[in-house]
Amino acid sequence: MMRLTCPVCAQPLTAQERAYRCEKGHSFDRAKSGYVNLLPPTAGGKRHGDDKLMVKARTEFLDKGYYDPLAQAVAQCVVDMGLSHTRIVDAGCGEGKYTVDVLQALEGLGRTAEAVGIDISKQALIQAARRSRALTLCAASTAHMPLEDGCADVVLNIFSPFMGAEFARVLASEGRLIRVVPLERHLWELKALIYDTPYENPVPDMREDGFALAEQKTLRYEIELDNNRDIISLFKMTPYYYKTGAADQEKANRAEHLRTAVEFGIFVYEKAQVKV
């Protein structure tokens, strides 16, 4: 069983009715919405992570099924591990779509699983809790996850910052890291709608210290959005919306139909074994 750890002293936290507590007496309230906040306080109460607008847009878009092939591909990577019980950490879980789909795929095969979702956005965690009460959810940085060493069989890293050393720390020796990134022409036609000169996405070097690449998949297909609401939801869940001015945003506001390519790279890593 995976246990959260105290962000103050790193001791295991015990879940109680309304709080998590460690043996040294540190206590963290569990929000009514279903998550525990393990983020350190910030100066001026600065908000962390995706805001309510972005979370709402992403939830509405994903619930239409446009990215279901990706969710199914990720779930299949976990299923293929063949474990009877799988401990999953979703590092940057957002509103929980992919986490829940993985759990459902495993449960559909009669297997058991447990999942911890970590994100800095409280708004995203509120939505993730609505998706499933089976998730253990905490507001925390994926650079310093409140988890014990070697506690996870799988770390999911889907469209979120890559923290290789921390992912290796929480993975068991036979664990797998599943990373998803957008490829060069992901959402190309959306960008062509908005920008006069669209640009390809930069794809990072996928060689990672501490990991051996075991499998690589490319998922390409087209989605067709036949109403402005879905187009705007897609636009608002991307960084493009927040980096464009009013004139470019108005192009999306007027659009009633969009057919665009989606391109995902799925990378499955094994934890590198330490030589002695």
Side-chain angles (χ1 to χ4, degrees), residues 195-216:
Y195 302 123
D196 294 334
T197 306
Y199 57 91
E200 292 189 347
N201 297 317
V203 177
D205 184 350
M206 302 310 293
R207 294 171 295 180
E208 300 295 350
D209 292 341
F211 293 96
L213 183 61
E215 186 177 5
Q216 177 178 342

Side-chain angles (χ1 to χ4, degrees), residues 90-109:
D90 194 339
C93 66
E95 44 63 64
K97 160 71 173 174
Y98 302 107
T99 333
V100 171
D101 281 3
V102 170
L103 288 179
Q104 290 177 344
L106 293 168
E107 291 167 0
L109 294 172

Side-chain angles (χ1 to χ4, degrees), residues 55 58 89 95 102 105 107 109-110 134 137 167 201-202 205 207 209 221 232 234 239 263-264:
V55 171
R58 186 165 60 237
V89 172
E95 44 63 64
V102 170
E107 291 167 0
L109 294 172
L137 299 167
F167 297 163
N201 297 317
D205 184 350
R207 294 171 295 180
D209 292 341
Y221 60 97
I232 295 301
L234 173 60
E263 295 187 348
F264 308 108

Side-chain angles (χ1 to χ4, degrees), residues 123-137:
Q123 293 295 333
L125 294 170
I126 290 170
Q127 182 59 44
R130 290 174 182 157
R131 283 196 183 276
S132 175
R133 289 291 176 177
L135 303 176
T136 298
L137 299 167

Side-chain angles (χ1 to χ4, degrees), residues 1 3 17 33 36-37 39 65 75 107 120 129 137-138 146 155 158 161 198 201 205 220 227 247 258 269 273 275:
M1 179 178 178
R3 294 189 295 178
E17 183 178 356
S33 53
V36 58
N37 184 9
L39 281 168
E107 291 167 0
I120 60 173
L137 299 167
C138 66
V155 170
I158 303 174
N201 297 317
D205 184 350
R220 292 187 175 96
N227 63 84
L258 176 68
Y269 297 89
Q273 301 302 311
K275 296 181 181 180

Side-chain angles (χ1 to χ4, degrees), residues 183-186 188 191 198-203:
L183 297 181
E184 290 89 344
R185 295 179 71 85
H186 178 61
W188 181 257
K191 290 193 284 190
Y199 57 91
E200 292 189 347
N201 297 317
V203 177

